[in-house]
Amino acid sequence: MAFDGREPIYLQIADQIRTDVVSGALGEEEQVMSTTQYATAYRINPATAAKAFAELVDEGTLYKRRGVGMFVAPGARDRLVAERRERFFADVVDPVAAEASVLGIPLDDVVARLRAAGATGEGDR
């Protein structure tokens, strides 16, 4: 993992863990690296990793088992998928529908194009 984005490193860590949960790379009840392990592996300040973990605990993605470590919370994947799905529609689909309307493109044409792109695996035709 390389930290090269404009966002603070702790947000990049939190986003990567969320992505790992959504993708299934981290399963429910699975232990995640400790803040010390993150700090050592990625050569960052342990407080930075701790801040990321605190955010994930606050939102219910991770939980702490006293004396054992951090674990993926039950239901975390379903919640994150639902949030990302809603964000996808708001950030991607709604603007596409609005632009199609402005350009006079029938939504059926947009749907047909999406189906064709999905069938061929080519989203940038």
Side-chain angles (χ1 to χ4, degrees):
M1 175 183 219
F3 302 111
D4 55 7
R6 291 185 178 163
E7 290 187 321
I9 292 172
Y10 83 94
L11 291 177
Q12 293 179 57
I13 293 169
D15 285 343
Q16 183 57 54
I17 292 172
R18 287 183 195 103
T19 297
D20 289 346
V21 171
V22 167
S23 73
L26 281 173
E28 291 185 5
E29 300 293 342
E30 189 171 336
Q31 188 170 11
V32 299
M33 280 195 278
S34 70
T35 56
T36 303
Q37 289 169 320
Y38 259 96
T40 302
Y42 299 113
R43 298 177 183 218
I44 60 170
N45 188 315
T48 300
K51 191 170 181 178
F53 283 30
E55 179 171 305
L56 293 167
V57 168
D58 288 347
E59 73 186 28
T61 299
L62 299 180
Y63 71 95
K64 185 174 185 170
R65 287 187 192 161
R66 188 177 177 110
V68 180
M70 294 286 192
F71 293 80
V72 177
R77 182 182 185 281
D78 290 342
R79 184 185 52 74
L80 289 170
V81 167
E83 288 173 6
R84 285 191 178 188
R85 179 183 169 99
E86 190 56 40
R87 191 169 56 236
F88 170 78
F89 283 110
D91 294 350
V92 177
V93 176
D94 294 350
V96 166
E99 182 70 7
S101 177
V102 167
L103 297 174
I105 301 171
L107 286 180
D108 289 342
D109 290 357
V110 174
V111 171
R113 182 66 173 254
L114 288 170
R115 284 198 173 120
T120 63
E122 299 175 8
D124 47 51
R125 293 171 51 194

